[in-house]
Amino acid sequence: MVMYCQQLGTKLLIAAASWAFVNYKNDGLYLEVLACNEQAIRLYKYHGGQNIDYGYWHTPCGNKVKEFIYGWESPSALANLG
């Protein structure tokens, strides 16, 4: 299951990078990930993502959850790693 998720995660990252390359070629990319999602964090790091910041997400039910922001300098920086 882990291998499948990593392959799916990689495909989703590449698809996002491809879309961003067409529409926002010169801009950076970022995403937010819950701090407890260690598997996703490993995937983003594997694909060159840098932890650029952190914050807290206020959930609809009133909880506060720590999250990290991972980023890439450009869509091509991410796409080339796929």
Side-chain angles (χ1 to χ4, degrees), residues 30-38 41 44-45 50-57 65-71:
Y30 79 91
L31 54 79
E32 298 173 20
V33 59
L34 297 180
C36 63
N37 193 344
E38 295 174 6
I41 291 169
Y44 304 147
K45 287 180 179 180
Q50 299 293 313
N51 185 343
I52 57 176
D53 206 353
Y54 73 93
Y56 292 90
W57 175 51
V65 181
K66 188 172 184 178
E67 66 179 6
F68 296 118
I69 301 171
Y70 274 80

Side-chain angles (χ1 to χ4, degrees), residues 4-55:
Y4 174 77
C5 289
Q6 288 175 336
Q7 292 171 353
L8 180 59
T10 296
K11 288 178 183 180
L12 288 169
L13 286 174
I14 299 305
S18 297
W19 179 87
F21 185 80
V22 170
N23 296 284
Y24 300 98
K25 181 170 147 176
N26 298 316
D27 294 335
L29 295 175
Y30 79 91
L31 54 79
E32 298 173 20
V33 59
L34 297 180
C36 63
N37 193 344
E38 295 174 6
Q39 186 175 352
I41 291 169
R42 280 193 303 273
L43 178 69
Y44 304 147
K45 287 180 179 180
Y46 177 79
H47 286 291
Q50 299 293 313
N51 185 343
I52 57 176
D53 206 353
Y54 73 93

Side-chain angles (χ1 to χ4, degrees), residues 14 17 21 25 27-29 47-49 71-82:
I14 299 305
F21 185 80
K25 181 170 147 176
D27 294 335
L29 295 175
H47 286 291
W72 293 262
E73 290 183 13
S74 68
S76 58
L78 173 55
N80 289 337
L81 294 171

